[in-house]
Structure formats: C-alpha cells, structure tokens
Amino acid sequence: MRTPANFELAYQKLNPQQKIAVDTIEGPVMVLAGPGTGKTQVLAMRIGKILLETQVNPANILCLTYTEIGAFEMRQRLIEILGKEGYYVRVHTFHSFCNEVISDNPDRFYNLSGLEPLDHVERLQVFQGIVDRLPATSVLRPFGAQYFYVKDLIAAIADLKRENISPNEYKDVIEQTKKFLASSQKLFEDYLNLAPKQRTPSVNKSLRYSLGKIKHALFMQDYVNKIFENHKDDSSGTALKDSLKKFYENTADRLPKQEELIQCYKEYQETLLKSSRFDFEDLLLRVCQKFDEDKILLSRYQEQFQYILVDEFQDTNGAQNKILKQLGNFFADPNIFVVGDDDQSIYRFQGASLENILDFWHSFGKSAKIVALSRNYRSTQLVLDASSSVIANNESRVESFLPKSEKKLVANKEGEDRVSECEFEWEREENFFVATQVKKLLDYKVEAKEIAVIYRNNADAIDFVELFLKLEIPFKLYSGKNLLDDPTILQLVRLLAVIADLTLSSELFFVLHSDFFDFKPTGVAKISLMGKGHLYEKMGDREGLLAAKVVDVEKFLKLHQKLAGWQKLSANVTFEDFLA
C-alpha cells in the first residue's frame, strides 16, 4: 500500500508516546490512555501502519468498539487517513460482529433460525409474568408493589449474561457463599462480641488468617482482605468491627433474593426458548458457546483476523473478553491491541475495568507491551490536577499493579480555567445554584453551546429541566432516558394494547384518562358503572350513555369507531404505513 499524504501528515503530529503505540504492530499491546490523549487517532494510525508495513489486506484487520457511535467515528477517521482502504477494514461493535458471525453461518447456528429478537416492551411483560408466578411470600414480590423489583431483575440477569454466567454457574456461586457464611459465622460472632481493648492487632491478624483458611467461596477472600487493608491503621478496631459486621450481614441478607433470582433467570431462559425469541445479550453468549464447540468455525475467524484492535477495553464485559481471547488464542503472542483506562469505566461494575486490564496482563504479561498516554489535548493543567486529586482516592488503580502504567496527565493546552468546589445541604439547593450560575453566564454573553451540565444519573436531569424552563434557559438534553419511563409513551403502549385486544377494560380505563383524549373523569366513571360487559362495548351504546347522563356522548362514540378502525388497520398494514 502506497503511503497516503494524510497519513504522513497525521503521523508527524503524533507525540513520542503515541508513536510508540502506533509503531508497535506485532504482539500483544496495551495502551493506557487517559481522557483527551488521542486514543482514537492512535487506533486509526496503527491500522494505517499495519497496512503500510505488512502484506495483510484491510479485511484481515478487526477493530472492535463499544458503541455504534464509536464504530462510526472510527470508520470516518480511517477514511480520512487512509482513503478508500478505510472502507474495507472490519470495524464492528462486539454485538454487530457477533450478529454477522451468526448471519454468515446459518448452518452452524440453525437453532437460531426463525428466532425473533425480544424488544423492551416484551421483555418487561415477560418479567412481569415471571413475578406473577412467584409465590405470594416471595422477597421479590413485595405486598402492595409486586413489580417493584422487575427492573432490578432485568438488569441483574442482563449483567449475568454479559459476564457469561449461566443459571447453574450462578447457583454454584450462591452455594459457595452459603458455605462460606456457615463456616465463618462463629469467627465473626466471637470477634464482634469482643470488647474494644480485646481487638488488638494480633487478634485482628489471627481473624484474617482464620478467614483466609476457609476453602469455600474463594472469591469472598478478596472482599475480606480489602476490608482488613482499608482498616490496617485502625488502632481501636472499632471501624474494622463495623465494616466486618456490615459485610457479613449484607451478604447474608442478599442470599434470599439471589436464590430467587436463579429461579427467575432459569424461567426467563425457558420462556425465550419456548417463544422462539432471543435478547440482546444472547448474541454474545451464542457466539461464545459456538466458538468453544466448533473449532473449525473458530479457526476460520482466527485465520481471517490477523490483527485485532479493541477500543474502550475497560468497558468490555466477561462475554466480550472471552470472544477476544477465543479469537486470539491461536498464537502464543497474538496481535491484539487494546486501549483503555481503568479510571474511565462507565458501563461496568466498579473494579471490573481493573479486572479486565489485569487479566490481559496476566495472559500476555511476558510478551505484552504497555504504553501509557499522558499528554492531554483537551483540558488545562489545573483541571487535570483537580480531577487527578479526586481519582487518586480510588482504592484500586492499575498503576499499583502493573509496571510502567502510571499516566499522570500533562496538559498540552494553556489557559487559566478555574475549578470551584461548592457544598450544599440539599440536592434541590445544589441544582438551583447550578441553574442560576448558568443563567449568569448567559447574561455575561457566554454562548449556551459553550456550557455543559454533567450529572450522574438520568433521573437527575428532571430537576434541571424544570429549573431551566422556569428560568427560560435554552437547553438540549442528551440522555439515555428509558422511553418506557415516559408517561406519554406508557399511555401510547396502553393504547396499542387496547387496539390489539378491545376487551382489555382495565387498560382502556387508563387510556380514557389520558390527556390527549381529554375526557372528563366523571364520564369515564359513569360508563364503567353501566351494567355488565366490556368497557369498549359500553362506549358504543348510545342509549346507555344517554341514560347514564354521560357528557360528550358523541366524543365517546367517535373514539369507539376509531378503535375499531385502528384494530382493522393493525391486521392489514404495518405501523409505518399507518403513520404515513
């Protein structure tokens, strides 16, 4: 491949650390890239370097990203740097890659033939059905709010599937935890009953040694050791005692829910099988399982992808990490290039990003090269130092475990940005302060597009939206809000359910109270009390409506006709055609 002018120009702009990462094209490489250090450019440039210095074709390079946006941006960057060659590099999210593996090999995934994906509404309905079938005494079906844990169930099972943990494997974890609790119960009780003066360093050390000898649930040892490490300077032992008590009690309290979670997980999988459906997480699991079973299929992909690059490695989950290992384990020193930062994990459990990075090092440590990118092109030094002072409080960071992994960020940008720290007693007070500060900046002629408000959870945006509207502050909301949490969407879902089945009187009752129909509640109540029959039937009874002295009779009759018409359309045209 002839060197494109854009590549040469971009290569000259790389800093020394970036050039090392780009030039090291053979063997396993891990790049620890802090925020704003140009990791996307490094990934794209390294792909260009591979094409320039080897005989491989673009289609022999696999670049895996975490999000569709990341894949799109990578493709654009490759085209910009490499020209038409950038179109042929295989850039995928993990899910789109697995989807392609399945669609390209229908004979090997015949058990998926005819299966339909489960959408969010259907998944919610499936889990509500599972909860309905739980015994009335179930801890996952609280009295008066039986669907309280439905969202938690959906999230927990999705997490287990992402980590490639089957119901039976999770059951084994629970059994091991129960054995650990039984074996350690007396040790904990004896220690907690000691007087403060009796909890000496030697007694603490003896307890730690005794707990370490328990062979059940070895994964629990990490939690226990962490507690002891965090309180090694606790001379009175009071804080250590409180932490150990909390750990034991919380672990014991969670067991009943975890045991019922196993049953829900099993029933969910059985429901998917019986209804010929699959969910988003199944794509990864099916490919993982098939690669384990079908070595010929796996070897075909191992031979095709001679170079593998992974972006946002800290956010990959257990199933994704396993696929990466499966693709790379043909060679002792595979050409796997991962870019990540343990301090930036957003999609994983706390600590999981570090686990991924350490696992990569343990797998390829003798031959792996570590490159730390520390020059930041986005912020001033003051901002970087302030953020570093917060991140430094993280209990586990990769630089504590791996050589040459320290990434103290150095600003390439000059400026005098100020960082202010403010404390508030109430969350509402804090949000009002932020909104008024935004208002002041706008009054000082700062452009709205130059101001950003970052919040932790999507639900936190609600207060800001209300305040910005009251203060007449223009804004755009960028949020991963779940559409099913929106009241209007919920009303629409109910309306669609009624159209599908006009006998659903309870759903129709809620629909008639929706703002977009504007019926008086007294009218709806009067129709509900009109003798026997479904609510829909009573809506179409003109004489009955008049006898019940219902206001807006014509409006009810008109809606009755529309519902019948919509049901007919639903059986004959697609929703897209209906909207058109």
Side-chain angles (χ1 to χ4, degrees):
M1 173 181 166
R2 190 165 55 85
T3 306
N6 286 352
F7 177 87
E8 282 292 348
L9 184 62
Y11 185 81
Q12 296 304 319
K13 293 180 180 180
L14 297 177
N15 65 45
Q17 293 168 312
Q18 292 173 328
K19 284 183 178 178
I20 292 172
V22 168
D23 293 340
T24 310
I25 61 173
E26 300 296 330
V29 180
M30 178 163 58
V31 175
L32 299 173
T37 53
K39 63 180 179 62
T40 304
Q41 184 74 348
V42 166
L43 278 163
M45 293 295 293
R46 188 175 188 272
I47 291 172
K49 193 76 169 178
I50 292 169
L51 292 173
L52 287 169
E53 297 193 357
T54 70
Q55 299 299 312
V56 302
N57 294 317
N60 295 127
I61 300 173
L62 175 63
C63 181
L64 295 168
T65 69
Y66 199 82
T67 64
E68 293 288 354
I69 293 175
F72 175 78
E73 290 178 349
M74 178 57 64
R75 175 75 67 197
Q76 295 301 111
R77 193 72 61 96
L78 288 171
I79 294 168
E80 179 185 326
I81 294 172
L82 304 175
K84 67 178 182 179
E85 296 288 338
Y87 285 104
Y88 303 107
V89 177
R90 301 292 290 276
V91 182
H92 287 282
T93 64
F94 277 94
H95 281 90
S96 71
F97 171 71
C98 289
N99 191 46
E100 187 170 280
V101 171
I102 292 170
S103 60
D104 286 350
N105 301 276
D107 56 321
R108 284 180 156 86
F109 292 91
Y110 59 87
N111 57 335
L112 293 180
S113 178
L115 297 191
E116 294 289 334
L118 192 75
D119 63 36
H120 293 294
V121 175
E122 291 171 324
R123 179 154 66 169
L124 183 63
Q125 291 171 339
V126 168
F127 274 96
Q128 286 177 341
I130 291 172
V131 170
D132 286 340
R133 291 186 289 275
L134 290 173
T137 55
S138 169
V139 292
L140 294 178
R141 187 184 175 183
F143 179 75
Q146 66 179 35
Y147 299 134
F148 182 80
Y149 288 113
V150 164
K151 288 186 179 180
D152 292 330
L153 276 174
I154 293 173
I157 291 174
D159 284 335
L160 288 170
K161 295 177 85 168
R162 291 187 194 109
E163 298 305 322
N164 198 24
I165 299 173
S166 68
N168 287 335
E169 288 171 330
Y170 189 57
K171 182 178 180 180
D172 183 60
V173 170
I174 302 304
E175 291 301 318
Q176 290 293 317
T177 302
K178 289 165 70 174
K179 290 177 181 178
F180 174 84
L181 291 175
S183 301
S184 63
Q185 183 177 359
K186 191 172 187 313
L187 289 171
F188 278 108
E189 287 177 351
D190 290 347
Y191 182 79
L192 296 177
N193 289 329
L194 292 176
K197 291 183 179 179
Q198 294 175 299
R199 293 193 291 270
T200 63
S202 61
V203 170
N204 295 343
K205 185 177 180 180
S206 176
L207 173 64
R208 183 175 185 177
Y209 175 76
S210 298
L211 291 171
K213 289 179 67 178
I214 297 175
K215 295 181 179 179
H216 304 298
L218 297 179
F219 55 87
M220 300 295 284
Q221 301 296 340
D222 292 335
Y223 294 103
V224 172
N225 288 331
K226 196 171 185 179
I227 292 172
F228 279 100
E229 284 298 317
N230 289 343
H231 298 292
K232 59 185 177 183
D233 298 325
D234 179 20
S235 56
S236 67
T238 301
L240 174 62
K241 170 202 159 188
D242 292 342
S243 293
L244 287 172
K245 181 181 179 183
K246 184 178 179 180
F247 163 74
Y248 187 90
E249 290 177 347
N250 287 349
T251 304
D253 288 344
R254 284 195 296 264
L255 275 176
K257 288 181 182 176
Q258 290 172 330
E259 288 182 301
E260 292 194 10
L261 175 61
I262 297 170
Q263 298 306 315
C264 293
Y265 189 1
K266 286 182 178 178
E267 188 172 345
Y268 176 59
Q269 292 300 94
E270 291 169 0
T271 302
L272 291 179
L273 186 62
K274 290 176 183 176
S275 59
S276 298
R277 310 305 280 271
F278 67 90
D279 64 17
F280 194 61
E281 289 74 31
D282 281 329
L283 288 174
L284 299 175
L285 294 181
R286 298 299 177 94
V287 172
C288 271
Q289 292 165 2
K290 185 56 68 175
F291 278 168
D292 276 339
E293 298 164 0
D294 192 336
K295 299 306 178 186
I296 295 176
L297 177 68
L298 175 60
S299 63
R300 200 168 80 213
Y301 284 94
Q302 289 173 331
E303 290 172 12
Q304 177 180 355
F305 298 120
Q306 299 173 34
Y307 290 87
I308 302 171
L309 301 91
V310 184
D311 193 13
E312 303 294 359
F313 182 61
Q314 76 277 357
D315 286 323
T316 55
N317 56 47
Q320 292 167 335
N321 215 12
K322 183 174 180 180
I323 289 172
L324 180 62
K325 285 184 176 180
Q326 288 170 324
L327 292 172
N329 68 10
F330 185 78
F331 299 103
D333 299 323
N335 296 321
I336 296 179
F337 181 90
V338 300
V339 179
D341 182 5
D342 59 311
D343 294 328
Q344 293 190 71
S345 179
I346 15 180
Y347 295 101
R348 301 292 316 280
F349 293 118
Q350 186 177 7
S353 57
L354 178 64
E355 173 191 316
N356 271 357
I357 291 170
L358 293 181
D359 183 60
F360 184 90
W361 174 252
H362 292 147
S363 298
F364 310 112
K366 292 182 180 178
S367 57
K369 186 176 186 66
I370 296 179
V371 181
L373 303 184
S374 57
R375 182 158 293 280
N376 177 283
Y377 295 89
R378 189 180 299 159
S379 306
T380 62
Q381 193 62 48
L382 183 61
V383 171
L384 295 177
D385 291 343
S387 62
S388 295
S389 68
V390 176
I391 294 171
N393 293 304
N394 288 356
E395 294 176 352
S396 298
R397 300 185 70 197
V398 69
E399 60 190 50
S400 304
F401 300 91
L402 301 185
K404 300 178 183 179
S405 61
E406 185 178 358
K407 51 183 189 306
K408 179 175 172 56
L409 296 177
V410 178
N412 196 66
K413 176 181 177 182
E414 295 182 359
E416 299 181 355
D417 294 337
R418 292 190 304 110
V419 177
S420 301
E421 180 181 357
C422 306
E423 293 186 17
F424 303 90
E425 187 172 354
W426 306 104
E427 182 180 355
R428 187 74 176 176
E429 180 187 5
E430 176 186 348
N431 294 343
F432 182 74
F433 171 80
V434 172
T436 54
Q437 290 298 110
V438 171
K439 183 70 172 173
K440 286 181 181 178
L441 290 171
L442 293 173
D443 291 341
Y444 291 148
K445 305 303 180 185
V446 176
E447 289 188 65
K449 66 180 182 180
E450 298 295 324
I451 304 170
V453 176
I454 302 172
Y455 43 86
R456 181 179 177 85
N457 301 307
N458 287 331
D460 298 335
I462 297 173
D463 262 1
F464 287 116
V465 169
E466 292 177 358
L467 288 167
F468 283 9
L469 289 172
K470 288 179 180 177
L471 295 174
E472 297 182 344
I473 296 173
F475 68 92
K476 285 185 178 180
L477 183 63
Y478 297 93
S479 169
K481 181 182 177 183
N482 185 351
L483 282 176
L484 296 179
D485 289 334
D486 186 281
T488 305
I489 297 299
L490 286 172
Q491 291 170 349
L492 178 59
V493 169
R494 280 192 164 122
L495 175 58
L496 293 173
V498 170
I499 293 170
D501 184 356
L502 296 174
T503 65
L504 293 176
S505 296
S506 59
E507 293 295 323
L508 180 55
F509 181 81
F510 282 106
V511 167
L512 294 176
H513 283 86
S514 302
D515 291 339
F516 46 76
F517 285 129
D518 195 29
F519 287 118
K520 290 183 170 57
T522 52
V524 179
K526 287 177 180 179
I527 297 174
S528 301
L529 297 172
M530 281 171 49
K532 295 181 179 180
H534 299 299
L535 183 56
Y536 171 75
E537 295 173 349
K538 291 185 277 189
M539 276 177 58
D541 181 2
R542 178 186 291 273
E543 292 182 1
L545 296 177
L546 292 172
K549 298 182 180 180
V550 174
V551 182
D552 295 333
V553 170
E554 295 303 323
K555 280 180 64 177
F556 279 109
L557 291 172
K558 188 175 181 180
L559 178 59
H560 180 271
Q561 292 175 342
K562 281 187 174 181
L563 288 173
W566 290 336
Q567 187 180 64
K568 183 178 179 180
L569 285 172
S570 72
N572 294 285
V573 300
T574 65
F575 189 61
E576 185 178 359
D577 291 337
F578 169 72
L579 292 177

